[in-house]
Amino acid sequence: MVIAEDSVLLREGLTRLLADRGYEVVAGVGDGEALVRAVGELAARGEAPDVVVADVRMPPTHTDEGVRAAVRLRAEHPAVGVLVLSQYVEEQYATELLAGSSRGVGYLLKDRVAEVREFVEAVARVAAGGTALDPEVVTQLLGRSRKQDVLSGLTPREREVLALMAEGRTNSAIAGRLVIGPGAVEKHVSSIFVKLGLSQSDADHRRVLAVLRYLDS
């Protein structure tokens, strides 16, 4: 794992937190260019990390260096999972990060790091090629008025299921959150796929594509 965060205190804190839970942090850097360089050097030695955790805003301008580096890494090293952390929801960055490949990507608010179990689970999902979207990110992206036509065919319950799918929840986790049976969740998920035009051939990626279809509309 590589951690990119310009705050030394937070970077060291994340390193200790993840190391205590069995992750090997092979590099810690403070800017986007250093992140791209570190992953490139590791990959050249056949030691590419499973996942990168990066702040959205880093030096020198503290605007979008982190997310730009993340997008670049997803293009140059598609097998490396990328989890970005942000102080607040930035829809443009979230959308840009989610565009393209649907595997191994996450976007969390920094406050979520305080929920240690949820944060570590998100890191694990992204490292394994899954997705992890902060509930607040999902709420804002799914709530934008200009997107309502895309979701108009979904029932309120299907929208709830879609939001939880976007967070990276499994069907059993969704059932637990909504207090409904697993069979009911499966029916809702299947209905969402049909209404969003996602065919059986899309296979395992349909859960993420359901959200991306909305974002790309």
Side-chain angles (χ1 to χ4, degrees):
M1 176 187 300
V2 175
I3 296 177
E5 166 61 56
D6 63 295
S7 167
V8 176
L9 184 61
L10 180 54
R11 186 168 71 237
E12 292 300 321
L14 288 173
T15 299
R16 175 66 64 84
L17 184 155
L18 292 166
D20 287 348
R21 284 158 181 79
Y23 288 91
E24 182 182 5
V25 179
V26 295
V29 298
D31 62 74
E33 286 299 320
L35 170 60
V36 172
R37 186 165 56 252
V39 173
E41 291 174 353
L42 288 166
R45 299 200 301 265
E47 302 172 356
D50 293 328
V51 63
V52 165
V53 178
D55 190 2
V56 166
R57 298 173 180 266
M58 288 193 290
T61 68
H62 292 280
T63 54
D64 61 356
E65 285 83 358
V67 76
R68 295 295 178 196
V71 170
R72 181 175 169 185
L73 287 177
R74 281 172 57 72
E76 297 179 358
H77 306 281
V80 177
V82 175
L83 174 62
V84 300
L85 305 178
S86 180
Q87 197 68 42
Y88 50 88
V89 179
E90 298 175 276
E91 294 180 11
Q92 177 183 347
Y93 297 159
T95 302
E96 184 172 1
L97 186 69
L98 291 167
S101 173
S102 60
R103 292 183 57 81
V105 62
Y107 188 110
L108 296 182
L109 296 184
K110 285 188 173 181
D111 289 346
R112 196 67 53 187
V113 177
E115 303 292 337
V116 175
R117 181 180 60 82
E118 290 190 19
F119 173 64
V120 174
E121 288 178 355
V123 172
R125 281 204 302 274
V126 173
T131 59
L133 298 184
D134 194 283
E136 288 298 320
V137 174
V138 175
T139 296
Q140 289 203 27
L141 292 178
L142 296 185
R144 293 159 68 178
S145 60
R146 68 186 182 87
K147 300 288 189 177
Q148 291 306 307
D149 59 326
V150 179
L151 302 180
S152 61
L154 302 184
T155 66
R157 178 62 85 184
E158 287 168 350
R159 294 189 190 201
E160 290 180 316
V161 171
L162 177 57
L164 291 170
M165 286 167 57
E167 292 176 25
R169 307 285 179 178
T170 63
N171 282 5
S172 60
I174 293 172
R177 177 67 68 87
L178 299 180
V179 195
I180 58 178
V185 174
E186 290 179 7
K187 290 181 180 179
H188 288 312
V189 171
S190 295
S191 179
I192 290 169
F193 291 157
V194 171
K195 291 179 179 179
L196 295 184
L198 297 172
S199 68
Q200 193 70 34
S201 63
D202 291 318
D204 294 339
H205 290 179
R206 288 192 298 173
R207 298 179 74 85
V208 178
L209 289 173
V211 179
L212 295 181
R213 179 64 54 86
Y214 161 79
L215 293 174
D216 291 339
S217 65

